[in-house]
Amino acid sequence: MQLKEKLIILADSAKYDASCSSSGSMRKNNKGIGNAAFSGICHSFASDGRCISLLKILMTNCCIYDCKYCLNRKSNNIKRATFTPEEICAITINFYKRNYIEGLFLSSGIIKNANYTMELLIKTISLLRNKYHFNGYIHAKAILGADQMLVKKLGLLVDRLSANIELPTSDSLKLLAPNKNQNQVNDIMQYVHDHKDEKFVPSGQSTQMIIGATAESDLQIMQQSEKMYHNYSLKRVFYSAYIPINNDKLLPALKLPPLKREHRLYQADWLLRFYNFKVSDLLDLENPNFNILIDPKANWALKHLELFPKEINTASYHELLQIPGIGEKSAKRIISSRKHFKITFKDLKLMGVVLKRAKYFIICDGKYFANTNLFNKRFIESNLILEDKSPNTHNYQQLSLFNG
Amino acid sequence: MDNKIYLYDNNFIGLLNLISFLITNKIKPQNIKNLDYQPNLLDELINLNITIDKEIFKYIIKTSNKDILRILYYIYLSKYDNKELVIYYFYLNMLKYHANVIHMRNLKCVSLGLKLAHQVKDEVHKLKGFLRFQELSNKILYAKAYLNNDVLYLLSCHFKNRLPLEYWIIKDENRKMYSVYDKHNFYIVSEENFNLSTEKLSNNEKNMQDLWKEFYRTIGISERKNDKCRMNFMPKKYWKYIIEMEQDI
Ligand code: SF4
C-alpha cells in the first residue's frame, strides 16, 4: 500500500478525537529538530473549523475490540492499514520541517493485546525522540489495560498522555464498549496524576467524552468532568458530539451531531475551570440540562438577578467573573486600572472590555447603561437570546490556546 | 502652526534617544518620522543627529520594567502611520506612572499603544503557525509571507530556536526583505543583495506537499463542516501562502 493511502486511512480513523492542543510544554531544542511552544500553536484550520496543530494519526486501525461507536471496531468491514515506526517518523519530521505541524498525536487500535500495542507506540516514539532527535510536541494515547511499567516508559517520552473516558458513566461504557471498563481509565489517570513532573508528561493529561450516544443528562456529564478535574487535575476534558458512524440497535438514530449541546458543555466546562463555578451552581435534578437558548453563565445570572447589577469600581475579582460577558482578562484589567482612576462606560470601551452582554449586569460609577427600569428579567433575557453566539463563530476547543 | 517633523535613524534605539531628548528639552513634536519620510510641502524637517546612548534601555527598565520596554518595541514594529507619536506619549506617561502606565488605559496613547503592540504580537503568533517552508533543491527551506507589521526579526528568532540545524530563508513580500539563516545566525538583507530566482524545488517537495494536502482534506469532519469558523481563525488574507488552501482560493 502506498504511503499516501495509509495516511488517508489512518488520519480518517483518528479524526474523531477532539484534542489537538499543543500547549503547556516547555521542551527545549536539544541539538536536534524542534521545540515546544508553551502557549501552543495552531498551524491550520480544517474544513470543520477545528485547529490543526498535530499530525493526528493512528498507528493502526486494526483492532481486536468492538466498541459500538467506533469506526475501527472489529466488526466493521473497512480498509485496514498499519504504519511502520519509520514511516511515522519520516512523515512527522518532513511535516515539521515545513512548519505544517507542532508535532505528533499518536493513538492506535489494539493489536494482539494492550501491552503489545503499547510497546509498539513506545518503540515509534522513542525512535522519533532518540534517532531523529525530535523535540517537538508529542501527545500519545495510553492503551487501556497496559502494564504500569509501560505507561511509565511512554510518559517519559511524550508531552501529553491521555486516556479517553469515552462515555459519561461506567454503565454506558459497559454497554457500548464491553471490552473496556472505567477502572482501567481511572488507573491510568491516577498514575499520570501521581507521577507528573517536568520529565514525565510535562503538559499533563486530558480526556474525551462522547456526547449524545447515550442517555446521560448534562448534569451527569458535568459531574463526571468535575470529578476528574478534582481527582486527577486534568488539563482538559474534551466533549465530542456523537456522529453516527455505525448502525447499531444500541445507538441512537441521530441525523446530525448535537453541536449546540456540545458548545454549552464547553462553556460550562470553562466556568468550572476558571470562574470558580461548581456544577451544582449551574444544574440540578430539576434542571438537569443546559438551556439551549442562553449560555450557562447568563442563565445563572438571570436566576440570581438579586446579585446584580454590580458596580465595576468596587466588585471583587470573583464577582467580576460572575458577570456575563466578562472574562479573566477583562476582570484583571478592571482590577488593576481602577486603582488609578474611576472607571466609566467610556473607559471600559477604551480598555477593550466588550460590553455587548455585560452592560445589562453592571453599573459604572453609579450609572446604568440605560434607563434603570429596564433592569428586569424579561428585557435582559430577550436581548441575550438575540445576541447568543452560535457555535458557528466560536470554538471552545480553540480557546484552549493559553490553558492547555 | 508648528510644522516641525523630527527625524531619527531608522532604528528603535535612535527613536528612543530622540524621544528622550525631546522630552528633556520640553519639545512637543508635530510628528516624528524616520529618514525615509517623504515630506509634504509645508513640513519642516529637523534632524538633530542625536548621539546614540545604549543606556536608554536600562533607563527604561529602571523607570518601569522589561515588559514596558518590550511593548515600546512592539509598537515600533507596527505598521501604524503615527506610531512614533504613540511611543512619544506612551514614554511621557511612563515617566509619570512608571510600570503602572499599562494600567492607564483611559489614556488614548496607552490604549492605542497596547492595541498596536497586541496586533504585532498576534501577527507573530499567527505566522508561527501559518508560515510554510518549501524545500529547495539545495535542501534550503524557503518560506514567503506578506508581513503587515515588521515582524521578520521576531519570526526569525522563533525559527532559529526551532530549526537550528536547517538552512532556511524567510521572505517578507511586503518589505521585500529576506531573513537568511546559516545554522548559526540569521541575517536580514534586502532584495538588491539577494537573489533566489534560479532555485528549484527539491525532488521530494511536491510529494510532501501532496501528502500534507491529503491529510488536511481528510482530517476535517464533514458532518461538522463550518466555513465561518474556519474563516474566523484563518482569515483569507493568509491563504495565499498556506499551501493546503491554494485549491480553495
Ligand atoms: S479499542 Fe479503540 S480503536 Fe478499538 S474499537 Fe474500541 S475505540 Fe475503536
Side-chain angles (χ1 to χ4, degrees):
Chain A
M1 192 185 284
Q2 279 222 324
L3 194 61
K4 186 155 133 190
E5 193 182 351
K6 273 192 192 180
L7 181 64
I8 294 173
I9 294 172
L10 294 167
D12 193 53
S13 19
K15 73 182 175 196
Y16 297 102
D17 207 300
S19 162
C20 206
S21 155
S22 58
S23 60
S25 178
M26 305 222 257
R27 192 177 296 272
K28 293 253 173 339
N29 186 286
N30 181 18
K31 298 196 188 76
I33 178 169
N35 58 1
F38 190 73
S39 64
I41 295 174
C42 287
H43 286 255
S44 192
F45 288 85
S47 56
D48 51 22
R50 299 189 304 166
C51 156
I52 301 176
S53 180
L54 305 173
L55 171 64
K56 196 193 301 182
I57 48 172
L58 297 189
M59 182 174 70
T60 178
N61 66 340
C62 301
C63 193
I64 54 172
Y65 287 174
D66 201 46
C67 307
K68 297 285 179 265
Y69 47 81
C70 177
L71 178 66
N72 310 314
R73 63 178 185 173
K74 166 175 85 182
S75 57
N76 274 2
N77 183 13
I78 53 166
K79 249 196 182 166
R80 308 277 172 175
T82 305
F83 275 131
T84 65
E86 283 286 351
E87 283 170 338
I88 294 177
C89 294
I91 302 180
T92 306
I93 297 288
N94 271 298
F95 280 9
Y96 193 88
K97 264 200 328 204
R98 289 165 177 78
N99 205 40
Y100 301 162
I101 53 171
E102 263 320 271
L104 174 67
F105 179 177
L106 191 61
S107 176
S108 184
I110 298 170
I111 25 180
K112 281 195 192 159
N113 56 51
N115 281 349
Y116 180 80
T117 312
M118 193 78 159
E119 274 162 10
L120 271 178
L121 288 178
I122 293 170
K123 186 174 162 197
T124 305
I125 293 174
S126 113
L127 198 67
L128 194 52
R129 285 279 192 237
N130 299 320
K131 183 174 159 198
Y132 291 88
H133 305 287
F134 179 71
N135 300 296
Y137 193 94
I138 301 180
H139 177 174
K141 276 262 124 89
I143 304 295
L144 298 190
D147 287 350
Q148 218 160 61
M149 201 259 298
L150 297 174
V151 175
K152 182 177 168 189
K153 257 191 174 166
L154 186 55
L156 286 167
L157 292 166
V158 300
D159 298 278
R160 170 164 290 184
L161 187 63
S162 60
N164 279 354
I165 188 97
E166 307 287 11
L167 294 160
T169 57
S170 59
D171 286 346
S172 291
L173 192 66
K174 231 179 265 159
L175 184 71
L176 295 185
N179 310 88
K180 298 181 178 173
N181 77 63
Q182 219 176 57
N183 291 336
Q184 295 171 317
V185 182
N186 292 339
D187 286 350
I188 292 175
M189 287 184 182
Q190 188 73 55
Y191 185 85
V192 172
H193 172 255
D194 294 347
H195 295 83
K196 181 187 177 314
D197 62 20
E198 67 275 11
K199 287 235 163 62
F200 182 84
V201 195
S203 107
Q205 52 178 337
S206 61
T207 195
Q208 162 162 315
M209 238 190 281
I210 302 167
I211 302 310
T214 44
E216 285 89 355
S217 64
D218 291 347
L219 176 63
Q220 284 171 296
I221 292 167
M222 292 314 296
Q223 281 172 337
Q224 176 63 255
S225 297
E226 193 169 51
K227 196 172 91 196
M228 290 189 293
Y229 282 129
H230 180 259
N231 292 350
Y232 311 121
S233 331
L234 290 195
K235 278 285 168 64
R236 291 293 302 270
V237 175
F238 289 94
Y239 305 90
S240 166
Y242 171 66
I243 297 170
I245 304 164
N246 305 323
N247 285 322
D248 199 299
K249 57 181 189 314
L250 290 172
L251 293 169
L254 294 178
K255 284 251 157 49
L256 292 168
L259 292 177
K260 189 88 195 191
R261 183 176 180 203
E262 179 195 282
H263 182 60
R264 291 289 179 244
L265 289 164
Y266 274 115
Q267 289 177 312
D269 185 86
W270 204 255
L271 295 180
L272 295 193
R273 286 185 297 144
F274 304 112
Y275 293 74
N276 286 316
F277 278 83
K278 297 197 180 53
V279 174
S280 56
D281 295 329
L282 304 170
L283 298 168
D284 52 44
L285 287 172
E286 263 159 53
N287 295 295
N289 290 303
F290 290 113
N291 185 341
I292 284 299
L293 295 176
I294 288 192
D295 73 84
K297 197 192 205 183
N299 202 48
W300 173 87
L302 283 168
K303 279 193 192 148
H304 294 87
L305 269 190
E306 73 280 1
L307 301 172
F308 298 94
K310 292 200 191 284
E311 169 60 58
I312 286 292
N313 286 289
T314 54
S316 70
Y317 179 68
H318 177 67
E319 286 176 305
L320 289 172
L321 285 182
Q322 292 177 335
I323 299 168
I326 297 222
E328 278 184 302
K329 204 165 79 187
S330 296
K332 284 189 184 134
R333 276 186 195 172
I334 289 167
I335 297 274
S336 49
S337 288
R338 72 188 186 191
K339 289 189 200 132
H340 306 284
F341 58 93
K342 196 159 240 165
I343 298 173
T344 63
F345 272 104
K346 204 177 118 227
D347 296 331
L348 282 179
K349 276 197 192 120
L350 274 174
M351 288 160 65
V353 176
V354 183
L355 290 174
K356 212 168 159 202
R357 289 142 46 74
K359 64 176 184 276
Y360 303 107
F361 298 93
I362 59 172
I363 42 179
C364 278
D365 199 13
K367 290 196 187 65
Y368 194 54
F369 84 101
N371 194 323
T372 43
N373 61 27
L374 288 178
F375 182 76
N376 67 67
K377 191 169 171 189
R378 264 190 48 205
F379 173 74
I380 299 175
E381 188 167 36
S382 51
N383 277 293
L384 288 178
I385 289 177
L386 285 175
E387 280 163 10
D388 190 62
K389 269 202 183 151
S390 70
N392 265 342
T393 48
H394 235 215
N395 188 339
Y396 265 75
Q397 290 167 25
Q398 221 8 66
L399 290 175
S400 67
L401 214 57
F402 297 100
N403 296 287
Chain B
M1 203 176 116
D2 183 1
N3 296 318
K4 292 195 176 91
I5 304 226
Y6 291 86
L7 298 179
Y8 68 101
D9 276 352
N10 299 4
N11 56 49
F12 183 48
I13 196 164
L15 173 63
L16 291 180
N17 273 282
L18 173 62
I19 287 176
S20 164
F21 177 88
L22 293 175
I23 290 175
T24 316
N25 292 284
K26 300 208 177 343
I27 301 171
K28 215 169 152 186
Q30 172 67 23
N31 213 334
I32 305 172
K33 291 284 175 190
N34 72 26
L35 297 174
D36 301 332
Y37 178 63
Q38 303 291 330
N40 291 324
L41 215 55
L42 298 173
D43 287 344
E44 181 188 340
L45 298 186
I46 299 178
N47 192 344
L48 295 169
N49 280 319
I50 308 267
T51 39
I52 298 298
D53 181 359
K54 284 201 170 129
E55 292 296 304
I56 188 122
F57 291 148
K58 277 192 202 135
Y59 174 72
I60 290 173
I61 293 170
K62 221 177 78 203
T63 314
S64 55
N65 58 38
K66 264 193 188 151
D67 289 338
I68 305 286
L69 178 61
R70 189 174 304 129
I71 287 166
L72 292 174
Y73 179 56
Y74 283 2
I75 304 173
Y76 170 73
L77 299 180
S78 164
K79 63 172 178 186
Y80 186 72
D81 228 1
N82 292 323
K83 63 186 182 191
E84 291 90 351
L85 269 190
V86 178
I87 297 176
Y88 175 92
Y89 284 105
F90 202 111
Y91 191 105
L92 194 65
N93 281 293
M94 177 199 75
L95 297 177
K96 188 165 164 200
Y97 297 107
H98 310 284
N100 279 327
V101 63
I102 54 164
H103 301 134
M104 305 309 294
R105 285 176 188 261
N106 56 341
L107 305 171
K108 179 99 193 293
C109 65
V110 174
S111 72
L112 178 60
L114 291 173
K115 193 168 133 194
L116 298 177
H118 178 80
Q119 284 168 358
V120 169
K121 232 172 108 177
D122 188 59
E123 184 173 9
V124 177
H125 184 76
K126 283 222 165 65
L127 282 160
K128 282 180 187 175
F130 295 156
L131 202 78
R132 295 287 177 266
F133 285 108
Q134 313 202 38
E135 192 183 65
L136 304 180
S137 52
N138 50 15
K139 294 287 172 214
I140 294 176
L141 298 170
Y142 178 44
K144 289 188 271 189
Y146 188 93
L147 305 179
N148 278 307
N149 300 294
D150 193 2
V151 296
L152 189 56
Y153 177 85
L154 292 176
L155 263 184
S156 302
C157 293
H158 172 76
F159 285 104
K160 183 182 172 198
N161 289 327
R162 174 155 286 203
L163 301 172
L165 303 181
E166 311 289 332
Y167 291 106
W168 50 251
I169 297 166
I170 304 171
K171 180 183 183 192
D172 174 0
E173 295 252 88
N174 184 6
R175 292 170 189 76
K176 314 278 180 233
M177 298 294 275
Y178 293 85
S179 174
V180 183
Y181 176 71
D182 66 358
K183 299 196 185 184
H184 300 283
N185 283 306
F186 60 84
Y187 306 90
I188 295 189
V189 293
S190 66
E191 203 171 32
E192 298 91 63
N193 303 314
F194 200 73
N195 192 348
L196 258 185
S197 54
T198 55
E199 285 305 330
K200 285 197 190 60
L201 295 179
S202 77
N203 295 333
N204 200 17
E205 183 55 25
K206 276 288 162 233
N207 254 335
M208 276 303 149
Q209 294 189 5
D210 212 33
L211 267 188
W212 170 245
K213 286 178 192 167
E214 286 299 338
F215 174 80
Y216 177 81
R217 199 181 48 75
T218 309
I219 207 75
I221 298 178
S222 54
E223 290 89 341
R224 303 180 62 113
K225 189 170 162 51
N226 193 337
D227 283 328
K228 221 165 146 189
C229 186
R230 174 169 74 177
M231 200 70 97
N232 238 2
F233 290 112
M234 189 162 66
K236 219 168 190 159
K237 65 175 181 199
Y238 292 102
W239 288 18
K240 186 169 167 207
Y241 300 100
I242 300 178
I243 61 154
E244 66 272 25
M245 301 311 291
E246 273 168 2
Q247 67 246 39
D248 289 46
I249 292 181

